[in-house]
């Protein structure tokens, strides 16, 4: 918006500048929010800003999976019931939360913290691929394999699930990671693509429908 | 939303709680904003929160018109070219900014800081009606009238423009204020209601169109 409002106060203008720097918040909404905050009790506003400062200053990242955490190791990585030999690779913290909310996954995660995107200047060294490769190497180390091969159980070489988005950047990143970890002999999988539950055949795009036919599954009534 | 996400970090959850307390910001947007802030350089986040704290802690209200201001008297009230004998009564700071942006008004303002609304528990004592009445009384004091009646000029009794919204609460407030200030003999006016510029007759509501006909104006080509 080229047009800039005249503000009655420099302090108000600075607050609007700050709030409108958030993604998806225009200057008009920012003004509305600033005037809302101005009407709140002072301690509520301090609580609001303290919560944000506190998050930025004190949050930690799990040293195994790079997930946001209050401790050095996140709740998922320190949960003994989670399968440490299955690593689900995701782009962001939000993806972990989405998968956790399904309740269907019992392995651990690896948060890349971004996606390889030459157009946005994000290369492999800007995301946590190196840490992932170390984790995969540790997974197939003789000691880890010895532990995994408990008597009476099948040998488990470990699995890396590439849960990245289906666009060009996601596919590029998945391919790059695959090339880095294939040598270790772990199983590498990616998310099933196909029609969503409740999706109408008529409105599905050709690529998705085509994949759904190729990857059709045995009908289980 | 009854459903509450599980957060990987207490700090993140507290920041999301704080951000989603803003009007019109849901928990999902709040999470997006919190993760955005987490990715920003630490000093940017501190600058963001400081701008908000600074606004809430240090902003002043003009002692004449109750407008947000950096000083004890706002820029409008201290502008010698503005007509101090015309007071435009508005509900909020935003209304002042909207009218200022038209560039059509050269008087001063009075910010009520709310609107009389029994259903929301807002009575006349919760808004700045009392201060307005004092201003009007001062406007018609013998000294003020003597000053206003400069030689060669028409006597100016002063004018109060009730620029309130057209809903029940706005009308109630306007009526209440009118009753409080009518005794001082100032001119009391309200905003013209009618079709907006560019409005289509076909889609105008009956009340607005009816008012537009009753209050029709001499055509000036």
């Amino acid at each position: 918006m080229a047009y800039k409002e005249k503000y009655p106060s420099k302090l108000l203008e600075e607050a609007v500048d700050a709030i409108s720097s958030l993604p998806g918040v225009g200057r008009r909404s920012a003004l509305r929010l600033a005037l809302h905050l101005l009407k709140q009790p002072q301690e509520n506003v301090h609580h609001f800003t303290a919560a944000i400062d506190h998050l930025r200053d004190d949050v930690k990242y799990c040293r195994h999976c790079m997930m946001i955490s209050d401790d050095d190791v996140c709740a998922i990585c320190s949960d003994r019931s989670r399968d440490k030999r299955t690593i689900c690779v995701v782009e962001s913290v939000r993806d972990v939360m989405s998968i956790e909310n399904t309740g269907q996954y019992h392995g651990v995660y690896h948060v890349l913290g971004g996606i390889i995107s030459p157009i946005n200047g994000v290369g492999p060294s800007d995301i946590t691929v190196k840490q992932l490769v170390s984790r995969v190497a540790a997974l197939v180390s003789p000691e880890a394999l010895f532990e995994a091969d408990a008597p009476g159980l099948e040998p488990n070489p470990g699995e890396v699930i590439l849960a990245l988005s289906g666009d060009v950047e996601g596919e590029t990143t998945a391919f790059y990671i695959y090339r880095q970890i294939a040598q270790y002999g772990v199983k590498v999988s990616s998310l099933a693509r196909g029609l969503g539950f409740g999706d109408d055949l008529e409105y599905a795009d050709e690529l998705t429908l085509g994949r759904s036919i190729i990857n059709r599954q045995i009908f289980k009534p």
Side-chain angles (χ1 to χ4, degrees), chain A:
Chain A
M1 196 164 71
Y3 167 77
K4 201 169 177 193
E5 303 223 13
K6 253 182 71 186
Y7 291 89
S9 144
K10 193 83 196 134
L11 293 175
L12 180 64
E13 184 167 5
E14 281 167 5
V16 170
D17 285 347
I19 299 172
S20 65
S21 73
L22 295 173
V25 181
R27 292 192 74 80
R28 203 168 266 267
S29 308
L31 174 62
R32 194 170 52 87
L33 294 176
L35 293 175
H36 167 84
L37 287 166
L38 206 48
K39 278 193 175 180
Q40 304 309 305
Q42 199 160 18
E43 69 261 31
N44 290 20
V45 175
H46 288 173
H47 179 83
F48 171 85
T49 53
I52 292 170
D53 279 334
H54 205 34
L55 171 69
R56 182 65 189 78
D57 295 346
D58 301 332
V59 87
K60 294 189 178 120
Y61 293 88
C62 172
R63 66 184 150 94
H64 297 307
C65 71
M66 313 293 152
M67 179 63 178
I68 284 180
S69 169
D70 292 330
D71 303 299
D72 286 338
V73 176
C74 75
I76 295 170
C77 286
S78 53
D79 180 347
R80 299 196 57 154
S81 73
R82 307 284 299 222
D83 172 15
K84 305 290 186 303
R85 300 191 64 73
T86 306
I87 300 174
C88 181
V89 179
V90 294
E91 181 181 342
S92 73
V93 168
R94 268 205 285 176
D95 298 334
V96 173
M97 292 175 68
S98 299
I99 296 175
E100 281 300 286
N101 279 324
T102 68
Q104 299 293 319
Y105 180 65
H106 307 291
V108 292
Y109 294 92
H110 189 87
V111 180
L112 292 175
I115 200 108
I116 296 172
S117 168
I119 212 165
N120 294 322
V122 181
S125 60
D126 298 315
I127 62 177
T128 63
V129 177
K130 218 171 140 184
Q131 291 90 326
L132 174 63
V133 175
S134 310
R135 287 182 76 187
V136 172
L139 214 59
V140 297
S141 69
E143 307 85 57
L145 285 176
F146 179 78
E147 251 182 60
D149 292 344
L153 287 176
E154 285 289 301
N156 178 358
E159 177 173 356
V160 171
I161 305 171
L162 299 173
L164 301 171
S165 51
D167 53 14
V168 180
E169 292 163 348
E171 305 240 316
T172 306
T173 309
F175 186 66
Y176 180 85
I177 293 174
Y178 176 76
R179 284 206 314 194
Q180 300 285 312
I181 61 176
Q183 51 175 316
Y184 297 103
V186 290
K187 190 172 151 191
V188 182
S189 58
S190 68
L191 292 184
R193 307 265 175 211
L195 290 179
F197 280 92
D199 271 10
D200 205 322
L201 223 73
E202 195 179 344
Y203 302 114
D205 66 289
E206 290 159 20
L207 207 66
T208 302
L209 190 55
R211 283 269 200 123
S212 278
I213 291 175
I214 295 171
N215 298 330
R216 64 193 177 277
Q217 299 166 326
I218 297 292
F219 186 70
K220 289 182 227 147

